[in-house]
Amino acid sequence: MILLLLQSFTTACELGPGEESHTVGGNKSGSIWPWQIYQSAPYNPPELDINSNGEALAEGLLLFTPSNFRPINSVKESAPLIMTDQGQLVWNGPIGNVTNLRATVYEGSPVLTYWAGLSTEGGNVGHGYGNVIFLDTSYREILTVCPKFGLVIPEGKQYPCEADFHESFVTDRNTLLVSAYNATPADLSVIGGPRQGWIFDCIVFEIDPKSQEILFRWSAFEHVPISQTKYPLQGTGNKTVPFDYFHVNSIVYVGESFLVNSRHTWSTYLISAKGEIQWTLQGDTGGDFGSLPDEGRFKWQHHAVAHGITNSSISISYFNNFASAPDNGSRPSHGLELQLSLPPDKLRSPQVVQYVSDPTEPIYDKSQGSTQILENRNVFLDFGQIPIMKEFSPGYPSNNAARWTARFGRDNRVQSYRGFKQQWHATPSYPPNLVVKQNRTASRCVTGYVSWNGATDVTAWEIWEGSDQKHLSKTGRIYRRGFETKFRIKETCAQAVALQGEKVASKSRVACAS
């Protein structure tokens, strides 16, 4: 009998292959979307509700920034997140109000960048004042860009950093493009407003991230007439609530020029290095180009990005919201890519390259969103104020099926301004976390939980155990399973060694069960 008990104890406490470990808090009918819980780390990312049709997905990780859309607590934590498309956490960044997390290249090295700061409400709703953070592949903060532009802000408010959250784009010449909103006196009589009115002048800045010197400045008010707006005054246009006639929401660098997108004029502008408008693509009329095909029309659009640039053509992708009053219900929000012939010619119409929408789940998204053309030509959409991400097949017009869908909150309660699927490889500068706990069951095994926040390339954990912190021996090796790996040992103390193939990447501290 004693021998059988000993055999049972030994078998139960064998190291085993390792198990993925997390529990889920909350439920989908609760006020807060379900969240993941770990033993070895204090993070609570959302539990992704995933549907997939089994077709091949592009390689890469999900980068997004879930937060409350309204002043109602609907997400367990707001933070920049990297997760797998199976819903496993990879990196949980600092808790706070952040947007626009993405992987990019700065000075020849891969970095993460994101905006962090205050998003405004009330009469100044829909803008932000903050800084842009650069992290290297060890998650060290290598730069914090905190610009002071001398902005006029409603109600005389002041903020330590004045970069708006809509754009933080690193160019291939190692500069940073950001947006800003400046309250400015303006004559609004042309649109039925007061002669002594106020607007938000949208300003584009190019900054040296290290010196924070301003290298380029462009003002929408100085170049685009207020009469071009499609946005209604609706009681705004005074000093307390300036009229947001332009609303810049994306800026990218194209050759020696800047591609600037305006949500409220339904237009995208190519701006020269001298600040001159070279051409305009307007979502209803075509602007300087020929008339748009019906599926190529866009309104209230976000995230204009240039592709395939040559002397004779350029493609621009959009997240086409098409869903602000009075357009709600007329067309679901969708991904759109247009090809334009250059130079602009009103006799040559732009051609639709991609029109990406899921007919089984039409989504009407009034604000935010992004469209990304992936390396395998799949298309990745983030729906902004609707907490859904989708990956679609290529192949317009015959086949743009949704291959993968993930939900991370309730509609109009949780948001992610943009979301991306990107390659990212990182080895943190800090060590892994290990927690060991004494089981209260008859087996009396000790259970270990190990994680390493942000590590992307760990393949296995080498486990050492012993009766105290100073006397450990190697037990064996387990596969890494998800963000947190669970294992069993017989002794009360353990240490986990992170392996990348056969290379030792880091070691946890020694942890003992109490």
Side-chain angles (χ1 to χ4, degrees), residues 57-60 102 302-308 314-320 334-339 352-357 370-382 390-396 400 419-423:
L57 302 177
E59 294 184 359
R102 58 181 154 196
H302 285 74
H303 197 224
V305 178
H307 310 271
I314 183 174
S315 292
I316 302 176
S317 62
Y318 294 96
F319 184 83
N320 191 8
H334 54 275
L336 177 67
E337 184 181 4
L338 297 173
Q339 185 171 41
V352 177
V353 179
Q354 295 278 6
Y355 184 101
V356 182
S357 181
S370 57
T371 293
Q372 181 186 7
I373 311 299
L374 300 171
E375 291 182 4
N376 67 348
R377 294 298 296 174
N378 280 6
V379 183
F380 187 82
L381 300 189
D382 169 90
K390 287 179 178 283
E391 183 172 338
F392 291 84
S393 304
Y396 171 86
N400 271 127
F420 300 100
K421 191 174 193 183
Q422 296 181 284
Q423 298 282 352

Short mmCIF file of all heavy atoms in Angstrom, two decimals, residues 57-60 102 302-308 314-320 334-339 352-357 370-382 390-396 400 419-423:
data_model
loop_
_atom_site.label_atom_id
_atom_site.label_comp_id
_atom_site.label_asym_id
_atom_site.label_seq_id
_atom_site.Cartn_x
_atom_site.Cartn_y
_atom_site.Cartn_z
N LEU A 57 -3.35 32.17 -42.61
CA LEU A 57 -3.24 33.55 -42.14
C LEU A 57 -1.81 34.03 -42.38
O LEU A 57 -0.87 33.25 -42.45
CB LEU A 57 -3.59 33.65 -40.67
CG LEU A 57 -4.98 33.17 -40.26
CD1 LEU A 57 -5.13 33.25 -38.74
CD2 LEU A 57 -6.07 33.97 -40.95
N ALA A 58 -1.67 35.33 -42.47
CA ALA A 58 -0.33 35.91 -42.58
C ALA A 58 0.41 35.71 -41.26
O ALA A 58 -0.19 35.67 -40.18
CB ALA A 58 -0.43 37.39 -42.90
N GLU A 59 1.72 35.58 -41.35
CA GLU A 59 2.53 35.51 -40.14
C GLU A 59 2.55 36.88 -39.47
O GLU A 59 2.44 37.91 -40.12
CB GLU A 59 3.95 35.06 -40.48
CG GLU A 59 4.04 33.64 -41.00
CD GLU A 59 5.47 33.20 -41.23
OE1 GLU A 59 6.39 34.03 -41.01
OE2 GLU A 59 5.68 32.05 -41.65
N GLY A 60 2.71 36.86 -38.15
CA GLY A 60 2.79 38.12 -37.44
C GLY A 60 2.02 38.08 -36.14
O GLY A 60 1.28 37.13 -35.84
N ARG A 102 2.82 50.23 -32.80
CA ARG A 102 3.24 49.52 -34.00
C ARG A 102 4.74 49.28 -33.99
O ARG A 102 5.50 49.96 -33.30
CB ARG A 102 2.83 50.25 -35.27
CG ARG A 102 3.35 51.65 -35.42
CD ARG A 102 2.82 52.25 -36.73
NE ARG A 102 2.72 53.68 -36.70
CZ ARG A 102 2.03 54.40 -37.58
NH1 ARG A 102 1.34 53.79 -38.52
NH2 ARG A 102 1.99 55.71 -37.51
N HIS A 302 -10.26 56.92 -42.44
CA HIS A 302 -9.07 56.94 -41.59
C HIS A 302 -7.92 56.19 -42.27
O HIS A 302 -8.13 55.39 -43.18
CB HIS A 302 -9.35 56.27 -40.24
CG HIS A 302 -10.17 57.10 -39.30
ND1 HIS A 302 -11.51 57.30 -39.48
CD2 HIS A 302 -9.82 57.80 -38.18
CE1 HIS A 302 -11.97 58.08 -38.50
NE2 HIS A 302 -10.97 58.39 -37.71
N HIS A 303 -6.74 56.47 -41.79
CA HIS A 303 -5.54 55.66 -42.05
C HIS A 303 -5.25 55.53 -43.55
O HIS A 303 -5.24 54.43 -44.11
CB HIS A 303 -5.70 54.26 -41.43
CG HIS A 303 -4.40 53.53 -41.29
ND1 HIS A 303 -4.25 52.19 -41.61
CD2 HIS A 303 -3.17 53.94 -40.89
CE1 HIS A 303 -3.02 51.82 -41.39
NE2 HIS A 303 -2.33 52.85 -40.95
N ALA A 304 -4.95 56.67 -44.18
CA ALA A 304 -4.53 56.66 -45.59
C ALA A 304 -3.05 56.31 -45.67
O ALA A 304 -2.21 56.99 -45.08
CB ALA A 304 -4.78 58.03 -46.20
N VAL A 305 -2.74 55.24 -46.40
CA VAL A 305 -1.35 54.76 -46.51
C VAL A 305 -1.04 54.53 -47.98
O VAL A 305 -1.84 53.95 -48.72
CB VAL A 305 -1.15 53.45 -45.71
CG1 VAL A 305 0.27 52.93 -45.86
CG2 VAL A 305 -1.47 53.68 -44.24
N ALA A 306 0.16 54.96 -48.40
CA ALA A 306 0.57 54.84 -49.80
C ALA A 306 1.29 53.52 -50.03
O ALA A 306 2.05 53.04 -49.17
CB ALA A 306 1.47 56.00 -50.18
N HIS A 307 1.07 52.94 -51.21
CA HIS A 307 1.72 51.68 -51.61
C HIS A 307 2.14 51.79 -53.07
O HIS A 307 1.57 52.56 -53.84
CB HIS A 307 0.75 50.50 -51.48
CG HIS A 307 0.05 50.40 -50.18
ND1 HIS A 307 0.57 49.72 -49.11
CD2 HIS A 307 -1.14 50.91 -49.76
CE1 HIS A 307 -0.28 49.82 -48.08
NE2 HIS A 307 -1.32 50.52 -48.47
N GLY A 308 3.11 50.96 -53.48
CA GLY A 308 3.45 50.79 -54.89
C GLY A 308 3.70 52.09 -55.62
O GLY A 308 3.14 52.32 -56.70
N ILE A 314 0.25 55.41 -58.07
CA ILE A 314 0.35 55.22 -56.62
C ILE A 314 -0.95 54.57 -56.16
O ILE A 314 -2.02 54.84 -56.72
CB ILE A 314 0.57 56.57 -55.90
CG1 ILE A 314 0.75 56.38 -54.38
CG2 ILE A 314 -0.59 57.53 -56.16
CD1 ILE A 314 1.12 57.66 -53.64
N SER A 315 -0.87 53.67 -55.17
CA SER A 315 -2.05 53.11 -54.54
C SER A 315 -2.18 53.66 -53.12
O SER A 315 -1.17 53.87 -52.45
CB SER A 315 -1.98 51.58 -54.50
OG SER A 315 -2.06 51.03 -55.79
N ILE A 316 -3.40 53.90 -52.71
CA ILE A 316 -3.67 54.38 -51.35
C ILE A 316 -4.71 53.47 -50.72
O ILE A 316 -5.78 53.24 -51.31
CB ILE A 316 -4.17 55.84 -51.34
CG1 ILE A 316 -3.16 56.76 -52.03
CG2 ILE A 316 -4.42 56.30 -49.91
CD1 ILE A 316 -3.63 58.20 -52.14
N SER A 317 -4.40 52.95 -49.53
CA SER A 317 -5.38 52.15 -48.79
C SER A 317 -6.00 53.00 -47.70
O SER A 317 -5.36 53.91 -47.16
CB SER A 317 -4.73 50.90 -48.20
OG SER A 317 -3.71 51.24 -47.27
N TYR A 318 -7.26 52.71 -47.39
CA TYR A 318 -8.01 53.44 -46.37
C TYR A 318 -8.77 52.47 -45.48
O TYR A 318 -9.15 51.38 -45.92
CB TYR A 318 -9.07 54.35 -47.00
CG TYR A 318 -8.59 55.49 -47.83
CD1 TYR A 318 -8.49 55.37 -49.22
CD2 TYR A 318 -8.25 56.70 -47.25
CE1 TYR A 318 -8.07 56.42 -50.00
CE2 TYR A 318 -7.82 57.77 -48.03
CZ TYR A 318 -7.73 57.62 -49.40
OH TYR A 318 -7.32 58.68 -50.17
N PHE A 319 -9.05 52.91 -44.27
CA PHE A 319 -10.18 52.35 -43.54
C PHE A 319 -11.33 53.31 -43.82
O PHE A 319 -11.34 54.46 -43.36
CB PHE A 319 -9.91 52.25 -42.04
CG PHE A 319 -11.06 51.59 -41.31
CD1 PHE A 319 -11.16 50.21 -41.27
CD2 PHE A 319 -12.05 52.34 -40.72
CE1 PHE A 319 -12.23 49.60 -40.65
CE2 PHE A 319 -13.13 51.74 -40.08
CZ PHE A 319 -13.22 50.36 -40.04
N ASN A 320 -12.29 52.84 -44.61
CA ASN A 320 -13.38 53.70 -45.08
C ASN A 320 -14.57 53.56 -44.14
O ASN A 320 -15.39 52.65 -44.27
CB ASN A 320 -13.78 53.31 -46.51
CG ASN A 320 -14.71 54.32 -47.15
OD1 ASN A 320 -14.95 55.39 -46.60
ND2 ASN A 320 -15.22 53.98 -48.32
N HIS A 334 -15.42 49.53 -44.25
CA HIS A 334 -14.69 48.51 -44.99
C HIS A 334 -13.26 48.98 -45.29
O HIS A 334 -12.93 50.16 -45.15
CB HIS A 334 -15.40 48.19 -46.31
CG HIS A 334 -15.67 49.39 -47.18
ND1 HIS A 334 -16.77 50.18 -47.01
CD2 HIS A 334 -14.97 49.93 -48.20
CE1 HIS A 334 -16.76 51.17 -47.89
NE2 HIS A 334 -15.66 51.05 -48.63
N GLY A 335 -12.44 48.04 -45.69
CA GLY A 335 -11.11 48.35 -46.19
C GLY A 335 -11.18 48.67 -47.67
O GLY A 335 -11.93 48.03 -48.42
N LEU A 336 -10.40 49.67 -48.09
CA LEU A 336 -10.44 50.13 -49.47
C LEU A 336 -9.03 50.43 -49.94
O LEU A 336 -8.24 51.03 -49.21
CB LEU A 336 -11.30 51.39 -49.57
CG LEU A 336 -11.41 52.07 -50.94
CD1 LEU A 336 -12.15 51.18 -51.93
CD2 LEU A 336 -12.10 53.43 -50.79
N GLU A 337 -8.70 50.01 -51.15
CA GLU A 337 -7.44 50.39 -51.78
C GLU A 337 -7.73 50.89 -53.19
O GLU A 337 -8.40 50.21 -53.97
CB GLU A 337 -6.45 49.22 -51.84
CG GLU A 337 -5.10 49.62 -52.40
CD GLU A 337 -4.12 48.44 -52.48
OE1 GLU A 337 -4.52 47.30 -52.17
OE2 GLU A 337 -2.96 48.67 -52.87
N LEU A 338 -7.24 52.08 -53.50
CA LEU A 338 -7.43 52.70 -54.80
C LEU A 338 -6.09 52.86 -55.50
O LEU A 338 -5.09 53.23 -54.87
CB LEU A 338 -8.07 54.09 -54.65
CG LEU A 338 -9.47 54.14 -54.04
CD1 LEU A 338 -9.89 55.58 -53.81
CD2 LEU A 338 -10.48 53.43 -54.93
N GLN A 339 -6.06 52.62 -56.80
CA GLN A 339 -4.87 52.89 -57.59
C GLN A 339 -5.11 54.14 -58.43
O GLN A 339 -6.11 54.26 -59.15
CB GLN A 339 -4.52 51.72 -58.50
CG GLN A 339 -3.20 51.94 -59.25
CD GLN A 339 -2.74 50.70 -59.98
OE1 GLN A 339 -3.55 49.99 -60.58
NE2 GLN A 339 -1.45 50.41 -59.92
N VAL A 352 -10.44 50.59 -58.22
CA VAL A 352 -10.52 49.87 -56.95
C VAL A 352 -9.64 48.63 -57.03
O VAL A 352 -9.83 47.77 -57.89
CB VAL A 352 -11.97 49.48 -56.62
CG1 VAL A 352 -12.01 48.66 -55.33
CG2 VAL A 352 -12.84 50.72 -56.50
N VAL A 353 -8.67 48.52 -56.11
CA VAL A 353 -7.79 47.36 -56.03
C VAL A 353 -8.28 46.39 -54.96
O VAL A 353 -8.25 45.17 -55.13
CB VAL A 353 -6.34 47.80 -55.73
CG1 VAL A 353 -5.40 46.60 -55.61
CG2 VAL A 353 -5.84 48.76 -56.79
N GLN A 354 -8.74 46.95 -53.84
CA GLN A 354 -9.29 46.13 -52.76
C GLN A 354 -10.55 46.80 -52.21
O GLN A 354 -10.57 48.02 -52.02
CB GLN A 354 -8.29 45.97 -51.60
CG GLN A 354 -7.02 45.22 -51.94
CD GLN A 354 -7.21 43.70 -51.88
OE1 GLN A 354 -8.30 43.20 -51.69
NE2 GLN A 354 -6.12 42.98 -52.04
N TYR A 355 -11.57 46.01 -51.99
CA TYR A 355 -12.77 46.43 -51.26
C TYR A 355 -13.09 45.29 -50.31
O TYR A 355 -13.53 44.23 -50.75
CB TYR A 355 -13.94 46.70 -52.21
CG TYR A 355 -15.18 47.23 -51.54
CD1 TYR A 355 -15.49 48.58 -51.57
CD2 TYR A 355 -16.03 46.38 -50.84
CE1 TYR A 355 -16.64 49.08 -50.95
CE2 TYR A 355 -17.17 46.85 -50.22
CZ TYR A 355 -17.47 48.20 -50.28
OH TYR A 355 -18.60 48.69 -49.66
N VAL A 356 -12.84 45.50 -49.04
CA VAL A 356 -12.83 44.39 -48.08
C VAL A 356 -13.92 44.61 -47.04
O VAL A 356 -13.87 45.55 -46.24
CB VAL A 356 -11.45 44.28 -47.40
CG1 VAL A 356 -11.44 43.10 -46.43
CG2 VAL A 356 -10.36 44.13 -48.43
N SER A 357 -14.91 43.73 -47.05
CA SER A 357 -16.01 43.81 -46.10
C SER A 357 -16.57 42.41 -45.89
O SER A 357 -16.52 41.58 -46.80
CB SER A 357 -17.10 44.74 -46.63
OG SER A 357 -18.17 44.86 -45.71
N SER A 370 -8.30 51.07 -38.97
CA SER A 370 -7.11 50.99 -39.83
C SER A 370 -7.23 49.82 -40.79
O SER A 370 -7.93 48.83 -40.51
CB SER A 370 -5.84 50.85 -38.98
OG SER A 370 -5.90 49.72 -38.13
N THR A 371 -6.54 49.95 -41.91
CA THR A 371 -6.46 48.91 -42.93
C THR A 371 -4.99 48.65 -43.22
O THR A 371 -4.22 49.58 -43.46
CB THR A 371 -7.16 49.34 -44.23
OG1 THR A 371 -8.56 49.45 -43.98
CG2 THR A 371 -6.93 48.33 -45.35
N GLN A 372 -4.60 47.37 -43.23
CA GLN A 372 -3.21 47.00 -43.47
C GLN A 372 -3.16 45.93 -44.55
O GLN A 372 -3.82 44.90 -44.44
CB GLN A 372 -2.58 46.49 -42.17
CG GLN A 372 -1.12 46.08 -42.29
CD GLN A 372 -0.60 45.45 -41.00
OE1 GLN A 372 -1.37 45.20 -40.06
NE2 GLN A 372 0.67 45.18 -40.95
N ILE A 373 -2.39 46.17 -45.61
CA ILE A 373 -2.14 45.17 -46.63
C ILE A 373 -0.96 44.33 -46.17
O ILE A 373 0.16 44.84 -46.03
CB ILE A 373 -1.83 45.81 -48.00
CG1 ILE A 373 -2.87 46.90 -48.34
CG2 ILE A 373 -1.78 44.75 -49.08
CD1 ILE A 373 -4.28 46.42 -48.44
N LEU A 374 -1.19 43.05 -45.89
CA LEU A 374 -0.17 42.19 -45.31
C LEU A 374 0.77 41.64 -46.39
O LEU A 374 0.49 41.76 -47.59
CB LEU A 374 -0.84 41.06 -44.54
CG LEU A 374 -1.74 41.51 -43.38
CD1 LEU A 374 -2.53 40.34 -42.83
CD2 LEU A 374 -0.93 42.18 -42.28
N GLU A 375 1.86 41.04 -45.94
CA GLU A 375 2.88 40.58 -46.88
C GLU A 375 2.36 39.55 -47.87
O GLU A 375 2.82 39.49 -49.01
CB GLU A 375 4.07 40.02 -46.10
CG GLU A 375 4.86 41.08 -45.34
CD GLU A 375 6.06 40.49 -44.62
OE1 GLU A 375 6.32 39.28 -44.78
OE2 GLU A 375 6.75 41.24 -43.89
N ASN A 376 1.42 38.72 -47.46
CA ASN A 376 0.86 37.71 -48.38
C ASN A 376 -0.37 38.23 -49.13
O ASN A 376 -1.11 37.45 -49.73
CB ASN A 376 0.51 36.44 -47.60
CG ASN A 376 -0.64 36.64 -46.63
OD1 ASN A 376 -1.05 37.78 -46.35
ND2 ASN A 376 -1.17 35.55 -46.10
N ARG A 377 -0.60 39.55 -49.04
CA ARG A 377 -1.73 40.25 -49.67
C ARG A 377 -3.04 40.03 -48.96
O ARG A 377 -4.08 40.53 -49.41
CB ARG A 377 -1.87 39.91 -51.16
CG ARG A 377 -0.73 40.39 -52.03
CD ARG A 377 -0.57 41.90 -52.03
NE ARG A 377 -1.71 42.59 -52.61
CZ ARG A 377 -1.86 43.92 -52.62
NH1 ARG A 377 -0.95 44.69 -52.05
NH2 ARG A 377 -2.92 44.48 -53.17
N ASN A 378 -3.06 39.26 -47.85
CA ASN A 378 -4.23 39.31 -47.00
C ASN A 378 -4.42 40.75 -46.51
O ASN A 378 -3.47 41.55 -46.51
CB ASN A 378 -4.07 38.38 -45.79
CG ASN A 378 -4.35 36.94 -46.13
OD1 ASN A 378 -4.56 36.58 -47.28
ND2 ASN A 378 -4.34 36.08 -45.12
N VAL A 379 -5.62 41.06 -46.07
CA VAL A 379 -5.92 42.42 -45.61
C VAL A 379 -6.39 42.35 -44.17
O VAL A 379 -7.28 41.56 -43.83
CB VAL A 379 -7.00 43.08 -46.49
CG1 VAL A 379 -7.25 44.52 -46.03
CG2 VAL A 379 -6.57 43.08 -47.96
N PHE A 380 -5.78 43.19 -43.32
CA PHE A 380 -6.08 43.18 -41.88
C PHE A 380 -6.80 44.48 -41.52
O PHE A 380 -6.30 45.58 -41.79
CB PHE A 380 -4.79 43.05 -41.09
CG PHE A 380 -5.00 42.86 -39.61
CD1 PHE A 380 -5.27 41.60 -39.09
CD2 PHE A 380 -4.91 43.93 -38.73
CE1 PHE A 380 -5.47 41.41 -37.73
CE2 PHE A 380 -5.10 43.76 -37.38
CZ PHE A 380 -5.38 42.49 -36.86
N LEU A 381 -7.98 44.36 -40.91
CA LEU A 381 -8.76 45.52 -40.51
C LEU A 381 -8.92 45.57 -39.01
O LEU A 381 -9.19 44.56 -38.36
CB LEU A 381 -10.17 45.49 -41.14
CG LEU A 381 -10.32 45.49 -42.66
CD1 LEU A 381 -11.79 45.69 -43.02
CD2 LEU A 381 -9.46 46.53 -43.31
N ASP A 382 -8.77 46.77 -38.46
CA ASP A 382 -9.15 47.07 -37.08
C ASP A 382 -10.31 48.06 -37.16
O ASP A 382 -10.22 49.06 -37.88
CB ASP A 382 -7.98 47.68 -36.32
CG ASP A 382 -8.39 48.25 -34.98
OD1 ASP A 382 -8.36 47.51 -33.99
OD2 ASP A 382 -8.75 49.46 -34.91
N LYS A 390 -10.23 41.85 -38.07
CA LYS A 390 -10.49 40.81 -39.06
C LYS A 390 -9.32 40.70 -40.03
O LYS A 390 -8.70 41.71 -40.38
CB LYS A 390 -11.76 41.10 -39.86
CG LYS A 390 -13.06 40.90 -39.09
CD LYS A 390 -14.27 41.24 -39.97
CE LYS A 390 -15.58 40.99 -39.24
NZ LYS A 390 -15.92 39.56 -39.16
N GLU A 391 -9.04 39.47 -40.46
CA GLU A 391 -8.08 39.24 -41.53
C GLU A 391 -8.82 38.61 -42.71
O GLU A 391 -9.53 37.60 -42.53
CB GLU A 391 -6.93 38.34 -41.08
CG GLU A 391 -5.87 38.14 -42.15
CD GLU A 391 -4.64 37.42 -41.66
OE1 GLU A 391 -4.39 37.42 -40.43
OE2 GLU A 391 -3.92 36.82 -42.51
N PHE A 392 -8.66 39.21 -43.88
CA PHE A 392 -9.39 38.80 -45.08
C PHE A 392 -8.46 38.19 -46.11
O PHE A 392 -7.27 38.51 -46.19
CB PHE A 392 -10.07 40.02 -45.72
CG PHE A 392 -11.22 40.59 -44.94
CD1 PHE A 392 -10.98 41.49 -43.91
CD2 PHE A 392 -12.53 40.25 -45.24
CE1 PHE A 392 -12.03 42.05 -43.18
CE2 PHE A 392 -13.58 40.79 -44.51
CZ PHE A 392 -13.34 41.69 -43.49
N SER A 393 -9.06 37.35 -46.96
CA SER A 393 -8.36 36.83 -48.13
C SER A 393 -8.12 37.96 -49.13
O SER A 393 -8.90 38.90 -49.21
CB SER A 393 -9.18 35.75 -48.83
OG SER A 393 -9.51 34.71 -47.96
N PRO A 394 -7.06 37.85 -49.93
CA PRO A 394 -6.93 38.76 -51.07
C PRO A 394 -7.87 38.29 -52.18
O PRO A 394 -8.49 37.24 -52.07
CB PRO A 394 -5.47 38.60 -51.48
CG PRO A 394 -5.13 37.20 -51.08
CD PRO A 394 -5.95 36.90 -49.84
N GLY A 395 -7.98 39.05 -53.24
CA GLY A 395 -8.71 38.54 -54.39
C GLY A 395 -9.93 39.32 -54.82
O GLY A 395 -10.82 38.77 -55.45
N TYR A 396 -10.01 40.63 -54.48
CA TYR A 396 -11.12 41.44 -55.00
C TYR A 396 -11.12 41.38 -56.53
O TYR A 396 -10.07 41.40 -57.15
CB TYR A 396 -10.95 42.89 -54.52
CG TYR A 396 -11.91 43.86 -55.16
CD1 TYR A 396 -13.17 44.06 -54.64
CD2 TYR A 396 -11.55 44.58 -56.31
CE1 TYR A 396 -14.06 44.93 -55.23
CE2 TYR A 396 -12.43 45.45 -56.91
CZ TYR A 396 -13.68 45.62 -56.36
OH TYR A 396 -14.57 46.49 -56.96
N ASN A 400 -13.20 38.11 -51.15
CA ASN A 400 -12.59 38.76 -50.00
C ASN A 400 -13.19 38.19 -48.72
O ASN A 400 -13.75 38.92 -47.91
CB ASN A 400 -12.74 40.28 -50.05
CG ASN A 400 -11.62 40.96 -50.80
OD1 ASN A 400 -11.85 41.73 -51.70
ND2 ASN A 400 -10.38 40.66 -50.43
N GLY A 419 -5.14 48.97 -35.21
CA GLY A 419 -4.61 47.65 -34.87
C GLY A 419 -3.81 47.13 -36.06
O GLY A 419 -4.18 47.37 -37.22
N PHE A 420 -2.73 46.42 -35.77
CA PHE A 420 -1.84 45.94 -36.82
C PHE A 420 -1.48 44.48 -36.59
O PHE A 420 -1.55 43.97 -35.46
CB PHE A 420 -0.55 46.77 -36.86
CG PHE A 420 -0.78 48.23 -37.13
CD1 PHE A 420 -0.76 49.15 -36.09
CD2 PHE A 420 -1.01 48.69 -38.41
CE1 PHE A 420 -0.98 50.49 -36.31
CE2 PHE A 420 -1.23 50.04 -38.65
CZ PHE A 420 -1.21 50.95 -37.60
N LYS A 421 -1.07 43.82 -37.67
CA LYS A 421 -0.47 42.49 -37.59
C LYS A 421 0.92 42.60 -38.18
O LYS A 421 1.08 42.87 -39.38
CB LYS A 421 -1.30 41.45 -38.34
CG LYS A 421 -0.87 40.02 -38.06
CD LYS A 421 -1.80 39.01 -38.69
CE LYS A 421 -1.52 37.61 -38.12
NZ LYS A 421 -2.38 36.58 -38.77
N GLN A 422 1.95 42.41 -37.33
CA GLN A 422 3.31 42.68 -37.75
C GLN A 422 4.28 41.66 -37.18
O GLN A 422 4.02 41.02 -36.16
CB GLN A 422 3.74 44.08 -37.28
CG GLN A 422 2.96 45.22 -37.89
CD GLN A 422 3.46 46.56 -37.41
OE1 GLN A 422 3.19 46.97 -36.28
NE2 GLN A 422 4.19 47.27 -38.26
N GLN A 423 5.42 41.56 -37.84
CA GLN A 423 6.52 40.75 -37.32
C GLN A 423 7.22 41.54 -36.20
O GLN A 423 7.46 42.73 -36.33
CB GLN A 423 7.53 40.45 -38.43
CG GLN A 423 6.97 39.65 -39.59
CD GLN A 423 6.84 38.17 -39.28
OE1 GLN A 423 7.31 37.69 -38.25
NE2 GLN A 423 6.22 37.43 -40.17
#
